[in-house]
Amino acid sequence: MNSLSILKLKAYIAAVKYGSLTRAAEALDYTQPSISHMIHSLEEDYGFALLIRSKNGVQPTDNGSQLLPIMEDIVVRYEHLSEAVYAIHGLDVGTVRIGAYASVCVHWMPEVLKLFHEKYPKIAIQLFEGNSREIHEWLDAGSIDFAIGTIQPTDTYPFLPLKDDRMLAILPKDHPLTQLEKIDIHTFEKELCIMPYDDTHKDAQAIFKAARVHPNVTYQIRGDEAIIAMVKRGLGITLLSELLVQDHRDDIECRPISDECVRTIGVASKTEIKSLSPASRTFIPFLQEWIQKN
């Protein structure tokens, strides 16, 4: 399959993804007529329609929906092949699509990406910030190559551990519990708690579930910064990771849990990590080395 055929597949995949030929053209940096022509050519090659076109946009036909995951797999494998060929020639090129938690995006990735770009200027990194639910959806859909986050015991993704991140009780500065060196997990049943939604912080929920603790939830918030801001105002306590709160230590108090709780941050992928693209397999060891040094 030549590069023009791959481009036709990319045009169709983008059209389905965005539901619009115009937005697909913008994403691929082509004109709308060019995208339309490529998809029409693909339909002629296959002998049936792939798109339903209307004034509201486009959507795949039944035949198109059936072929879409195969097309996506072909495009990914072609990109891996191209990267492998470049690697044989001693050239590090390619694109890596990474989904990561907000705490990872804020505290790890800026320096990691800066140093990585200096060493591998021809490898492009696309970084997507998301919560646990979003990242799992991206992995399943093939929208990202791998994720940097955590997984739960019920997850089946291949997982490469990178670092243990302590889960801490987060308290207002003047809270009576600040007199304690450690906080018993059952304290969360008695105190007013500000907790994240289940889909945003599965790690906290898993810890409470394992301890058979039902937090006394007075506020449930989706955003990490909003939770921390409410704790600062004395509206309750919460359970968050050490990495997540490290920039707020001057405004809050943090205490470890009596039975120390950690979440393990690592690389999760849909397929075995050894099957990822050469560019991805260049980035992951680089990230491992940076974490060990820091």
Side-chain angles (χ1 to χ4, degrees), residues 233-287:
R233 291 293 184 179
L235 296 174
I237 69 173
T238 192
L239 181 68
L240 293 175
S241 79
E242 190 167 19
L243 180 63
L244 186 58
V245 300
Q246 68 180 38
D247 286 344
H248 300 275
R249 289 298 190 113
D250 292 340
D251 302 314
I252 55 176
E253 292 288 336
C254 302
R255 296 291 184 273
I257 305 300
S258 296
D259 295 326
E260 184 163 298
C261 302
V262 300
R263 66 172 188 170
T264 300
I265 301 174
V267 172
S269 58
K270 190 175 180 180
T271 61
E272 292 296 331
I273 291 175
K274 64 182 180 181
S275 300
L276 294 175
S277 70
S280 293
R281 287 186 279 111
T282 298
F283 180 86
I284 292 171
F286 185 91
L287 175 62

Side-chain angles (χ1 to χ4, degrees), residues 13-57:
I13 292 168
V16 174
K17 176 181 179 180
Y18 294 108
S20 163
L21 295 178
T22 301
R23 291 188 62 194
E26 292 172 353
L28 297 178
D29 198 23
Y30 277 83
T31 64
Q32 189 270 341
S34 296
I35 294 295
S36 181
H37 175 74
M38 283 188 278
I39 295 173
H40 181 68
S41 174
L42 201 59
E43 291 174 320
E44 288 187 334
D45 292 341
Y46 294 165
F48 50 77
L50 295 169
L51 283 181
I52 299 172
R53 298 162 174 83
S54 70
K55 62 180 181 180
N56 296 321

Side-chain angles (χ1 to χ4, degrees), residues 10 46 57 87 135 147 177 188 190 193 206 235 245 255 277-278:
K10 287 183 176 181
Y46 294 165
I135 285 177
L177 289 175
F188 287 87
K190 306 168 187 175
C193 297
L235 296 174
V245 300
R255 296 291 184 273
S277 70

Side-chain angles (χ1 to χ4, degrees), residues 64-181:
S65 294
Q66 184 177 343
L67 295 182
L68 181 62
I70 303 173
M71 293 180 180
E72 291 172 332
D73 185 60
I74 290 172
V75 169
V76 169
R77 290 179 181 275
Y78 182 83
E79 291 173 348
H80 289 190
L81 173 63
S82 298
E83 290 176 16
V85 170
Y86 283 121
I88 290 172
H89 286 287
L91 301 173
D92 293 302
V93 301
T95 299
V96 183
R97 303 166 301 166
I98 306 170
Y101 288 170
S103 53
V104 172
C105 289
V106 171
H107 299 295
W108 288 5
M109 300 309 286
E111 183 176 359
V112 170
L113 295 184
K114 177 179 181 296
L115 297 174
F116 186 80
H117 180 69
E118 290 173 355
K119 187 171 183 179
Y120 303 101
K122 294 184 178 180
I123 296 181
I125 304 294
Q126 297 177 356
L127 182 62
F128 304 89
E129 178 187 322
N131 59 40
S132 179
R133 175 184 56 79
E134 291 170 328
I135 285 177
H136 286 189
E137 288 177 353
W138 296 337
L139 277 176
D140 291 339
S143 301
I144 56 176
D145 297 306
F146 60 86
I148 304 174
T150 62
I151 61 172
Q152 304 305 316
T154 54
D155 292 330
T156 58
Y157 303 110
F159 187 70
L160 174 67
L162 295 174
K163 182 179 177 60
D164 284 342
D165 185 20
R166 287 194 306 169
M167 298 294 289
L168 303 173
I170 313 302
L171 316 168
K173 296 288 285 186
D174 58 353
H175 199 283
L177 289 175
T178 58
Q179 304 302 315
L180 302 177
E181 292 185 5

